[in-house]
Amino acid sequence: MKIDATLNPLPALTWNWLRMNKASYAEELGYKRSDAKVAISKLPKGAAFTQDGEKEILSLPQIPTALGENFSSLLAENAAIPAVLEIPEGCKCSEPIIIRAELKDGTASLRSLVIKAGKGSEASVIIEWTSAKDAAGLHALQTKIYADKDSNISVATVQLLGKGFVHFNDIATNGAENSRVRVTQLELGAQKNFVGAFSTLNEFGARFNHDAAYFMDGGREIDMNFAALQSGKNTQSDMNVYGTLKDSAKKTYRGTIDFKKGCSGSIGDEQEETLLLSPDVVNKSIPLILCDEEDVQGEHGATIGRLDENVLFYMNARGINLQEAQKMMARAKIARVAAFLGTDEAAQKEAQKALDFFDEQSQGGSQK
């Protein structure tokens, strides 16, 4: 399989010399096509999950995605198997819906997923990808979330893939009037990661919350693109990213709040925290606020640096060495975001699985 694509484009171009307007990936991959089979937990009454939902997808409006048109074309050209999860109107899901997929070594999986939350519905969905620790392959998934009026939908992705995978995680959301969409992303495995979330808030009172955490060590890479397009009145977006870079890992972060004309009364906030544990890491960040409306409130910020010497002194005085202190702080960032998976038993098990994956990863030393 040959991939030659422009990915994670910024909604508005910035200085070209920064080389952050977009990402690109071009490689000939010799993996055998074998789309991951998914297992899904018990569905609430009225909900439906269709593995082949091409007809349902064609009837939905098109919405912009984070990884961009080239990635969507890649899925279309390779006939990525579509699936649809539908939460009916008024459905209140008491337990999370968990979708699991185990990827095999040496395979390529390309899929698309649509989640439709009906009017006034409430649901939590957790999507988990796993593989053998040393497995290599290609994983690509595009998830589109359609939240109807007054719905409240939470979608979390937990990526625990082997250290040889190339991973694409593309999320797009469309929020109707007074809808609430929360997206949580835990990106802990794979060698190369291209991830993003693009939220369209074009109706009154729509809200979008996004939290992501990552840990990259060895020579692993992550390229991110998170954006909220706010065109409806009184909309609100809140995006936070927490990550750790170690050894010679590389990270690019793009975060955009785009206030369109007519979105008066809207609020947007984006924050990034990055912990650098080596002088050899490569860290790039570009937070943007675009504004065509006067009556809005937008904020962004980035905290990037090493462990504070006072914190290290405090820990060392209590018998915690440098390596243990670094692991504790990196783990805390993951735990902070994993908490958004939920408080019930099933969600807590998923959160613990992510933390156990990190513990094993950091215990085994750097990935090369």
Side-chain angles (χ1 to χ4, degrees), residues 7 45 92 136 154 256-257 259 272 282 360:
L7 303 165
K45 185 178 180 179
K92 310 292 183 182
S154 173
T256 306
I257 298 171
F259 292 116
E272 180 198 13
V282 176
E360 182 179 356

Side-chain angles (χ1 to χ4, degrees), residues 230-261:
Q230 300 178 230
S231 56
K233 290 186 178 181
N234 291 359
T235 58
Q236 184 172 336
S237 66
D238 190 355
M239 300 185 290
N240 302 283
V241 180
Y242 309 94
T244 301
L245 297 175
K246 186 180 179 182
D247 306 320
S248 57
K250 298 179 180 179
K251 179 221 80 178
T252 300
Y253 164 78
R254 302 173 188 84
T256 306
I257 298 171
D258 191 356
F259 292 116
K260 294 297 186 180
K261 188 70 175 178

Side-chain angles (χ1 to χ4, degrees), residues 5 35 55 136 225 269 294:
D35 292 322
K55 292 182 179 179
N225 187 31
D269 184 29
E294 294 183 2

Side-chain angles (χ1 to χ4, degrees), residues 62-83:
Q62 292 298 310
I63 54 176
T65 64
L67 266 63
E69 294 181 359
N70 276 188
F71 181 69
S72 296
S73 297
L74 174 69
L75 295 179
E77 291 167 3
N78 287 277
I81 299 175

Side-chain angles (χ1 to χ4, degrees), residues 201-204 230-235 259-266 291-296:
L201 305 170
N202 55 14
E203 295 194 30
F204 180 90
Q230 300 178 230
S231 56
K233 290 186 178 181
N234 291 359
T235 58
F259 292 116
K260 294 297 186 180
K261 188 70 175 178
C263 71
S264 58
S266 294
C291 189
D292 287 330
E293 178 62 60
E294 294 183 2
D295 181 22
V296 294

